[in-house]
Amino acid sequence: LLPEGFLARTKDRGLVVKSWAPQRDVLRHAAVGGFVTHCGWNSVLESVMAGVPMLAWPLYAEQRMNRVFLEEEMRLGVAVEGYDSESGLVAAGEVAAKVRWLMESDSGRALRERTLAAMRQAHDALRQGGESEAALAGLVDEWRRA
């Protein structure tokens, strides 16, 4: 799936994981300051649970809708612009500018803070007696009454 010559061009700059990567573990690492994501819902949830803000680069189907929700409703990500549907690529300068914005700007700092707040809220919801448990218990009660 990588462009021809990609591995040769990048062999001294970074790491390519050729198998499935442990994304949740990677996102939880202290060195991760942001996540360029295709906006698959599992990836969005894993990022929220890790407190990592997202740069949204949707590729297919519902991922575009997830990007809108992530950016406009949840306000936990920002879209990567300039996607070329023919090549499937975004200019490197756009990605670099968005990463720099996320890591260095006041708006990026605010996004990081919102993401950490969402992480705390999600963790609280999953605690024993939290909102998630209460919602599930309510659903089970509804089914029992039906």
Side-chain angles (χ1 to χ4, degrees), residues 68-145:
V68 171
F69 185 67
L70 177 64
E71 186 176 28
E72 296 178 15
E73 297 295 323
M74 296 173 66
R75 298 181 53 230
L76 301 178
V78 63
V80 174
E81 305 291 341
Y83 176 76
D84 179 351
S85 59
E86 285 186 31
S87 70
L89 301 176
V90 171
E94 165 66 7
V95 176
K98 286 291 167 66
V99 169
R100 194 170 291 110
W101 174 88
L102 177 62
M103 302 311 295
E104 297 176 357
S105 74
D106 288 341
S107 297
R109 179 186 45 74
L111 174 59
R112 293 191 311 274
E113 290 172 359
R114 280 193 304 276
T115 305
L116 289 172
M119 177 192 72
R120 289 188 292 272
Q121 187 177 12
H123 283 272
D124 286 346
L126 292 174
R127 290 193 200 317
Q128 187 171 357
E131 289 180 49
S132 185
E133 185 178 287
L136 181 58
L139 179 62
V140 169
D141 287 343
E142 287 278 328
W143 288 342
R144 285 183 176 160
R145 285 192 294 268

Side-chain angles (χ1 to χ4, degrees), residues 3 9 15 18 24 31 36 38 40-41 48 58 60 66 68 72 85 93 98 120 127 145:
R9 288 192 312 274
L15 171 68
K18 294 182 182 181
R24 288 185 309 168
V36 178
H38 68 299
W41 197 242
V48 169
Y60 310 106
N66 293 346
V68 171
E72 296 178 15
S85 59
K98 286 291 167 66
R120 289 188 292 272
R127 290 193 200 317
R145 285 192 294 268

